[in-house]
Amino acid sequence: MRDEQNQTARNFVEQVVALAPALAGPRADCLDRFAKAGLPSTRAEAWKFTNLRGLDKLTLGPAPDAATVTVDAIPTALDTPAPRLVFVAGQYRADLSRVGDLPDGVVLTALTGETAPVAGDGPFRALNSALSSHGAALRVAAGVKLTSPVELVFIAATAGDKAALWNPRIIIEIADGAEATVVEHHVGANAGTYISNVVADVSVGIGARLHHYKLQAEGLDAWHLANVSTHLAQDAVYDTFVMNLGARLARHEARQVLDGTGIEARVSGAYAITGNQVSDITTLIDHAKPHCTSREVVKGVIDGAARAVFQGKIIVRPDAQKTDGYQLNRALLLSESAEINSKPELEIYADDVKCSHGATAGELDEDQMFYLRARGISRDAARVLLIGAFLDEALDEIIDETVRAHFRAQAEAWMGAR
């Protein structure tokens, strides 16, 4: 197994290096770091349940010229026009984007070329830092309340039979006392095989509020690798939710550092997968200062031979007294082949805290099924109702009602296709 994993890493790394443009300075250093580190293997604790085997079978090639790709529809969570940046095959499309009429103090811009920053640790962050050439940046000045959500749309497209690789970078900076809502869409139905390696760096200032939502509906031959790093200042409120529906393998890795008193962090998600899909949600909530609250609810539905991973860790530092941390992971298994690997963790170094976590997995409740069937509801319809009710409990964690309704509609579409 170890030799096989090493070969997977070597094959993929060699192809990436061969495709990379001539780099210099920090970008060259990042590519060198990625090449030396290789791909994470299941020997690494953080990757124990997620095997990247299969990347070695891909033949990498360049992404298509985004300007030549026809886009029939742009995903949106809103009924009314909203500011948005659109990327196709990892490249910015100004003709599909809309950035006018932003209030004073709000800057929404596309990162292109060398303006994409170099930052971060870990092999996929290093890879993104080396090769990222397009991305999105939202900066909201102190005290500004952005009433209209901002949408960041990433649409997949491939050329030929080779797998494309793109590395979008997202920067969100919400200054002291400001407020904003950001909705990410990652879509790629029938787009072929590709790898989307997304890195997001988020900062929320003193007393600021950010609602950050993400819908991942990549193509079923895609690999979606996302890494989100969030820094929260005193009295900040961070509300984030991710829904995994697509991709052959999707890993959403997020770290929140609560670096001030009075912070509230809501870090939740849901997934619905089938076939041979893999969904991995890995989080770290770092309580670095006292009097902070975190809440994490992740629920998912697994059908076919699909497999889900949840790794949620809460760290309470020695000075973080009066911490209140809550974590819940529940999975609904719809077939005998479905699998869940759940690893909730509490690492507590303070003594005056209130922390709890829990994890459960089970099947559809036959008593509830019988109740619905006895009232004339077909088995298929009853099944959809019960699955929907299960996911609704997770979707209720989304504060924005419009976004919640959109995510619920996407979950219903998934259920309707079963």
Side-chain angles (χ1 to χ4, degrees):
M1 177 64 73
R2 177 173 298 184
D3 289 342
E4 185 177 356
Q5 290 174 335
N6 288 341
Q7 187 59 44
T8 297
R10 285 195 299 270
N11 289 347
F12 184 76
V13 170
E14 288 171 2
Q15 289 193 73
V16 169
V17 173
L19 279 175
L23 300 175
R27 287 182 178 270
D29 294 340
C30 288
L31 185 62
D32 184 60
R33 279 166 42 199
F34 168 73
K36 290 179 178 177
L39 297 178
S41 76
T42 53
R43 299 192 306 277
E45 186 64 25
W47 289 82
K48 180 178 179 180
F49 302 114
T50 300
N51 196 326
L52 295 174
R53 187 176 57 230
L55 285 177
D56 60 321
K57 296 181 173 62
L58 300 182
T59 301
L60 298 184
D65 181 358
T68 66
V69 178
T70 300
V71 177
D72 297 324
I74 298 174
T76 180
L78 311 169
D79 294 329
T80 57
R84 72 184 181 210
L85 297 181
V86 179
F87 300 82
V88 177
Q91 303 158 52
Y92 176 57
R93 282 281 295 264
D95 59 314
L96 302 177
S97 301
R98 182 171 51 223
V99 295
D101 299 325
L102 291 170
D104 292 341
V106 177
V107 177
L108 176 63
T109 185
L111 302 170
T112 57
E114 290 302 315
T115 60
V118 176
D121 297 321
F124 288 112
R125 272 190 164 260
L127 177 61
N128 181 283
S129 295
L131 301 184
S132 178
S133 59
H134 288 252
L138 173 67
R139 296 180 172 92
V140 183
V144 175
K145 311 291 185 181
L146 184 55
T147 57
S148 179
V150 170
E151 297 194 283
L152 307 178
V153 182
F154 300 87
I155 302 173
T158 55
D161 58 356
K162 293 184 178 180
L165 165 67
W166 46 79
N167 298 270
R169 174 63 60 86
I170 298 171
I171 297 175
I172 302 173
E173 297 175 353
I174 313 300
D176 296 352
E179 183 172 357
T181 297
V182 177
V183 185
E184 293 180 43
H185 304 264
H186 300 264
V187 298
N190 304 316
T193 302
Y194 59 92
I195 305 160
S196 180
N197 178 36
V198 187
V199 166
D201 292 301
V202 180
S203 64
V204 185
I206 298 172
R209 304 174 71 94
L210 174 61
H211 311 287
H212 186 191
Y213 307 119
K214 171 185 168 184
L215 176 63
Q216 184 278 111
E218 305 276 20
L220 294 181
D221 291 321
W223 302 70
H224 180 90
L225 304 166
N227 189 294
V228 183
S229 178
T230 303
H231 182 271
L232 306 173
Q234 178 180 334
D235 296 325
V237 176
Y238 182 58
D239 160 41
T240 183
F241 191 97
V242 57
M243 173 173 274
N244 275 344
L245 297 177
R248 168 183 172 174
L249 183 148
R251 178 177 168 104
H252 179 86
E253 184 174 348
R255 176 177 181 175
Q256 290 77 36
V257 178
L258 283 58
D259 195 20
T261 60
I263 295 170
E264 179 183 347
R266 300 169 62 92
V267 183
S268 296
Y271 55 86
I273 54 176
T274 189
N276 292 305
Q277 288 181 272
V278 176
S279 169
D280 179 337
I281 295 178
T282 294
T283 64
L284 172 61
I285 301 175
D286 188 345
H287 285 263
K289 298 291 172 64
H291 297 279
C292 293
T293 300
S294 66
R295 175 179 173 85
E296 181 173 24
V297 176
V298 176
K299 301 183 70 174
V301 178
I302 314 167
D303 203 355
R307 188 166 59 85
V309 177
F310 171 75
Q311 298 181 108
K313 186 172 186 177
I314 296 175
I315 297 178
V316 181
R317 303 293 179 181
D319 294 332
Q321 305 292 346
K322 302 296 184 180
T323 287
D324 186 347
Y326 173 81
Q327 183 187 87
L328 175 66
N329 174 227
R330 293 184 63 196
L332 183 61
L333 307 177
L334 301 181
S335 75
E336 293 183 357
S337 302
E339 181 181 341
I340 172 70
N341 297 112
S342 184
K343 185 185 176 186
E345 292 182 86
L346 295 176
E347 191 173 308
I348 301 173
Y349 299 100
D351 53 14
D352 188 5
V353 303
K354 182 172 69 174
C355 293
S356 64
H357 65 186
T360 62
E363 303 174 348
L364 285 174
D365 190 315
E366 288 299 326
D367 289 340
Q368 294 177 346
M369 181 72 75
F370 177 80
Y371 177 87
L372 294 173
R373 294 293 305 280
R375 279 146 184 80
I377 299 175
S378 70
R379 184 171 184 84
D380 287 344
R383 188 172 185 264
V384 168
L385 285 172
L386 293 176
I387 295 171
F390 178 83
L391 288 175
D392 273 350
E393 293 179 12
L395 294 169
D396 283 343
E397 297 294 319
I398 301 175
I399 293 176
D400 188 290
E401 294 182 2
T402 302
V403 175
R404 187 193 314 138
H406 177 67
F407 278 38
R408 181 171 286 123
Q410 299 302 308
E412 290 172 352
W414 182 90
M415 289 183 287
R418 300 283 67 75

